[in-house]
Amino acid sequence: MRNWFTAQELAGLPGLPGTARNIKAMAARERWEGQGRLGSKAIEYRFAALPEETQAALIAASVNESQPAQVAEPELNTAERDTISASHLTEDQRSVMTARLAFVREVERMSKTISQQRAIDTLVSLAKADQLSPYLKERAQRANDRKTGDRTLSERTLKRWLSDYRKQGEAGLAPARRQKDLSLPSWSASFLACYQRPTKPSVEAAYAEFALKHPAERPSIHVVRRFLNKLSAEARERGRRTPQELKALQPFKRRLTKNLFPCDVFTADGHKFDAEVLNPRTGKPYRPETTTVLDVATRKAVGISIGEAESTIGVMDALRDAVQHGMFAMFYVDNGSGFANDTVREVVDRLGGEMTHALPYNSQARGLIERAHQTIWVNAAKKLTSYIGADMDKHAGTKVHRISRKQLRETGSTRLIPTFAEFMAGVEYEIETYNNSPHRGLAKIRDPLTGKLRHMSPNEAWDAARAEGWEPMVAPAEVLTDLMRPQVIRPTRRGEVTWAGENYFLDALRDFHGQEIRLAYDVRDASRVWVRTLEGEFVGEALLDGNASDYMPKAMLEKAYEKRENGQMKRALDKLETLTGKRVEMIAPTTAPSAQLNAEQLAEAQRFAQLAAPKAPTFEIPADPIGKYQLWKQLDSRVKGGELLSPEEAQWHDRWPKHSDYTSMQRMFAHAEQARA
């Protein structure tokens, strides 16, 4: 709203002539207050000197020409900023407050030229005549905050808005809203005692029990439902869930790993495989126990172990596999029996690391390894027909179980359940696939093939750390093997030491009869143990049953068998003579046919001789992969020695190395030889 206008701007307005020349004459005649416009020769006249009809037209024009931006983002002084506190308002209250603030700012703007009363009267008259600008017309409907059709402005309303704004700031313009009643009714404790139980009763069941116990203070079930809806999910589910499950509804702290380097932290955990595999020892179906060691910084699976249950041996085996990639600084595990024991802690201490246990019932803190179980083991189990997870179809799982057991009883094998060799080949594939797949917990890179952004894979994150100058600290193989052998203190007697139900013998132990020694064992090789004194001096290797031999020599047993057989035959002849009263003679067998036999008797004798004759040995292939590998090694040594194989043996010797079982068995025996070395 301006305060000065030139004759050209006033020409044609209500109450004034239509030309600038006549307006100048009228101004001279009525002696209007005027002044020269800065930078121009034009004369401009004061707003207060103009006729009232002209002033009203100028005020109405200024209201309709006001810019929304000037009203929506006003300049506030310090006092106004201190009084504004609208952060607690709802979106509906904020919308009404903003609409009312637009009219407050419009009155303040007009009051710079005219009086506040006249500005209010002008806005009221324009609103009644429906001549407000579209911007103010829309806000007039919201500012009234009424559901009726009558939403015009009034002088009293505008003055009330001005007063509220000057007292409380813009928050004073917000309409009051009825707040939710958050007070607890008197019957709430009694109802929640019936509702908040681990059995998770329904609202209807809990209400029925509550109504039976407290008939006097019984509200309707609809009131009960509205009360439950007011509670937060955590407050509503307390008592219906254990503290561990309740954590899924509570805030949490997110752990960042971007500042870690590889091998800074290893985390490990066991997982019962969700599919059946044929046990290589018994041939019966079982669920293997997998132990996985994960590098936290890169999410790389650095070590695995397969066993029948979570145990110290499985943990040691997985840790042996992991430290071949690098020595860790911290080993973060749970409180399971396979981890919380002196054997594992001793090895970790000897490696120079630190083992930290997670809090009980706090599996969320180890979300990295739990997520890896889902990605690696659960997805791998779902690829097998023998999957028995919770989401497996019940009828399909029952059918597979029934058919596989029937095949095992009748034939000793089944294709519905994978063999251990097939399982191990699949494990290697799944681990390799996981380590080479993008992981959303790692940083993004641009794919060199597609040019698109994607997350790095664990192997790429490992290589990226090495490219930046990081190198893993790896101990020599012989030192690492010695460190990974757990040690126990056992007594020795007459050169023998007992461990894990087996007897080991070392002649050098004769000097330690009745004393205690330090025994180191290998979790992968039970054929020997390593003996040291309590001071750590190496004594030697004690072999399994190293002092054992056959109870009697084999030649003596064969003589005893022959003597017993002859005695039994002589006693049988004596018994026949006693029963018949005739002499019985034993005729020695001969290969020459008797001349006294007729043609029919001779043919029968020849047929019997053919059946009784020893058959030529046939080439038989073992059913288990370990037996196949050992048979192939025997055939291979015969070939290398220059011996000729039969056609069946030669054909199988050439074809079996192309099978996946050969690769798995070769790798397994190679690991065993390395551990034994």
Side-chain angles (χ1 to χ4, degrees):
M1 184 68 185
R2 294 184 313 174
N3 200 29
W4 298 88
F5 300 89
T6 62
Q8 189 67 33
E9 295 172 341
L10 297 173
L13 292 178
L16 294 177
T19 63
R21 181 177 180 181
N22 293 336
I23 289 178
K24 291 179 182 180
M26 182 178 179
R29 186 171 57 251
E30 296 181 2
R31 297 183 179 180
W32 292 354
E33 182 182 358
Q35 66 180 12
R37 173 165 290 184
L38 185 62
S40 174
K41 296 180 180 180
I43 302 299
E44 53 186 7
Y45 303 98
R46 192 178 185 85
F47 174 81
L50 302 177
E52 293 185 1
E53 187 178 0
T54 306
Q55 292 181 5
L58 289 173
I59 293 174
S62 67
V63 172
N64 292 331
E65 293 176 359
S66 61
Q67 298 297 326
Q70 297 176 352
V71 179
E73 299 180 3
E75 291 292 334
L76 303 179
N77 54 38
T78 304
E80 289 173 338
R81 292 192 185 96
D82 295 339
T83 57
I84 292 177
S85 177
S87 59
H88 64 283
L89 300 177
T90 64
E91 189 62 29
D92 176 64
Q93 290 176 302
R94 194 184 304 276
S95 176
V96 176
M97 178 194 71
T98 305
R100 292 177 178 178
L101 183 61
F103 286 96
V104 171
R105 294 304 187 195
E106 186 66 22
V107 171
E108 290 180 344
R109 184 184 64 81
M110 296 171 62
S111 299
K112 295 179 181 179
T113 304
I114 59 177
S115 64
Q116 175 179 300
Q117 183 63 41
R118 189 172 182 181
I120 293 175
D121 293 340
T122 300
L123 291 175
V124 171
S125 60
L126 291 175
K128 290 181 178 180
D130 197 19
Q131 295 180 359
L132 288 174
S133 65
Y135 175 76
L136 291 179
K137 185 184 296 184
E138 178 187 355
R139 277 147 184 78
Q141 297 178 354
R142 283 192 293 159
N144 275 278
D145 192 29
R146 294 180 182 177
K147 296 182 180 180
T148 60
D150 184 16
R151 298 185 181 181
T152 186
L153 296 177
S154 66
E155 176 184 353
R156 182 178 179 181
T157 300
L158 286 175
K159 288 183 177 180
R160 176 167 54 83
W161 292 348
L162 286 169
S163 176
D164 292 341
Y165 174 73
R166 289 166 182 169
K167 291 179 181 179
Q168 304 177 15
E170 64 177 12
L173 299 175
R177 291 287 186 264
R178 184 176 181 178
Q179 301 294 327
K180 292 183 179 180
D181 185 12
L182 300 180
S183 61
L184 295 177
S186 58
W187 48 265
S188 61
S190 302
F191 172 77
L192 291 177
C194 302
Y195 180 74
Q196 292 180 333
R197 293 177 178 175
T199 55
K200 295 182 175 62
S202 63
V203 179
E204 291 81 0
Y207 178 78
E209 181 183 355
F210 163 70
L212 186 63
K213 293 181 178 179
H214 307 276
E217 51 177 353
R218 182 178 64 181
S220 67
I221 192 172
H222 305 290
V223 175
V224 172
R225 290 184 183 277
R226 287 194 293 269
F227 163 71
L228 290 176
N229 291 334
K230 292 179 182 179
L231 298 178
S232 65
E234 181 182 355
R236 186 171 57 251
E237 294 298 318
R238 184 174 287 111
R240 295 170 65 88
R241 303 190 186 188
T242 61
Q244 184 180 11
E245 291 184 349
L246 199 61
K247 289 181 179 181
L249 304 176
Q250 298 172 346
F252 64 96
K253 291 184 178 181
R254 189 179 300 276
R255 291 181 170 181
L256 300 179
T257 61
K258 60 183 180 180
N259 296 325
L260 294 177
F261 285 100
C263 296
D264 281 354
V265 181
F266 280 179
T267 182
D269 194 17
H271 174 77
K272 181 67 74 173
F273 194 62
D274 293 327
E276 290 183 326
V277 178
L278 293 180
N279 194 315
R281 183 174 55 84
T282 64
K284 303 296 183 180
Y286 84 117
R287 293 174 59 190
E289 176 76 17
T290 63
T291 304
T292 311
V293 181
L294 203 71
D295 176 62
V296 173
T298 63
R299 312 302 200 271
K300 181 176 181 178
V302 292
I304 61 168
S305 177
I306 308 297
E308 296 187 1
E310 180 177 325
S311 61
T312 302
I313 294 178
V315 174
M316 294 294 298
D317 196 16
L319 193 58
R320 172 203 293 270
D321 198 14
V323 295
Q324 294 178 4
H325 295 81
M327 305 297 289
F328 60 88
M330 181 175 291
F331 194 41
Y332 185 51
V333 294
D334 60 12
N335 293 274
S337 59
F339 298 99
N341 57 77
D342 295 339
T343 302
V344 176
R345 182 169 294 278
E346 177 189 356
V347 172
V348 171
D349 290 341
R350 294 176 68 193
L351 290 172
E354 179 181 354
M355 185 163 63
T356 302
H357 296 278
L359 296 176
Y361 303 104
N362 193 31
S363 58
Q364 291 86 352
R366 296 179 295 106
L368 294 181
I369 192 68
E370 297 291 345
R371 178 67 256 182
H373 287 166
Q374 296 291 324
T375 304
I376 301 174
W377 303 117
V378 175
N379 289 339
K382 289 185 176 181
K383 298 178 181 179
L384 302 178
T385 312
S386 58
Y387 176 67
I388 56 174
D391 51 350
M392 177 67 173
D393 182 78
K394 180 180 179 181
H395 298 285
T398 303
K399 187 175 181 180
V400 170
H401 182 275
R402 184 173 62 252
I403 296 176
S404 63
R405 265 52 178 189
K406 181 179 179 181
Q407 293 176 348
L408 286 173
R409 286 194 305 269
E410 295 178 352
T411 65
S413 62
T414 176
R415 297 306 302 169
L416 297 178
I417 302 178
T419 64
F420 188 76
E422 293 171 342
F423 169 70
M424 289 303 299
V427 166
E428 294 180 0
Y429 171 78
E430 293 295 336
I431 294 296
E432 189 68 20
T433 301
Y434 168 78
N435 285 334
N436 289 318
S437 299
H439 196 295
R440 62 182 180 180
L442 301 174
K444 286 188 175 182
I445 60 172
R446 191 167 297 278
D447 193 289
L449 299 178
T450 63
K452 297 181 180 179
L453 284 176
R454 63 168 177 83
H455 293 281
M456 289 193 295
S457 67
N459 280 339
E460 289 174 337
W462 188 280
D463 295 338
R466 302 191 69 166
E468 293 177 359
W470 173 85
E471 286 294 335
M473 182 177 63
V474 181
E478 61 276 6
V479 177
L480 189 60
T481 302
D482 182 67
L483 286 175
M484 294 305 296
R485 291 177 183 148
Q487 295 186 7
V488 293
I489 297 178
R490 305 292 294 174
T492 178
R493 181 177 178 83
R494 301 176 63 185
E496 287 186 339
V497 61
T498 303
W499 168 245
E502 303 289 350
N503 293 322
Y504 295 87
F505 176 79
L506 177 62
D507 186 70
L509 286 177
R510 65 172 62 199
D511 299 331
F512 298 90
H513 173 72
Q515 301 181 19
E516 290 185 338
I517 52 91
R518 191 179 296 272
L519 182 148
Y521 62 92
D522 193 330
V523 297
R524 296 192 181 187
D525 184 11
S527 64
R528 67 193 66 200
V529 294
W530 291 262
V531 179
R532 295 178 182 272
T533 64
L534 294 180
E535 291 75 20
E537 182 181 353
F538 183 70
V539 178
E541 294 183 6
L543 301 180
L544 177 65
D545 295 331
N547 60 337
S549 61
D550 291 335
Y551 191 80
M552 294 296 293
K554 189 173 182 180
M556 295 181 64
L557 287 177
E558 291 177 352
K559 291 180 180 180
Y561 292 152
E562 184 178 356
K563 183 177 181 181
R564 184 177 61 177
E565 182 181 352
N566 294 332
Q568 290 175 347
M569 294 177 65
K570 185 178 184 303
R571 285 190 296 271
L573 292 175
D574 293 341
K575 187 175 182 181
L576 287 174
E577 290 179 351
T578 303
L579 292 174
T580 61
K582 299 179 180 179
R583 181 176 176 81
V584 179
E585 294 182 359
M586 184 175 61
I587 302 175
T590 176
T591 57
S594 176
Q596 299 179 356
L597 297 178
N598 57 32
E600 183 179 353
Q601 292 175 336
L602 181 60
E604 181 67 19
Q606 290 176 347
R607 187 182 67 84
F608 178 78
Q610 292 177 357
L611 293 176
K615 298 182 180 179
T618 59
F619 178 62
E620 295 182 358
I621 302 175
D624 61 301
I626 297 179
K628 291 180 180 179
Y629 184 77
Q630 293 175 345
L631 174 60
W632 187 91
K633 293 289 289 184
Q634 295 175 3
L635 296 178
D636 191 60
S637 61
R638 289 169 56 187
V639 171
K640 293 180 179 179
E643 184 178 348
L644 294 179
L645 303 179
S646 66
E648 295 83 2
E649 293 174 338
Q651 184 180 12
W652 186 81
H653 177 266
D654 294 337
R655 289 185 177 180
W656 194 68
K658 302 176 183 178
H659 197 274
S660 59
D661 288 354
Y662 173 80
T663 306
S664 302
M665 292 298 100
Q666 187 182 38
R667 187 178 293 107
M668 185 178 71
F669 277 89
H671 286 319
E673 291 176 0
Q674 291 178 1
R676 193 180 297 111

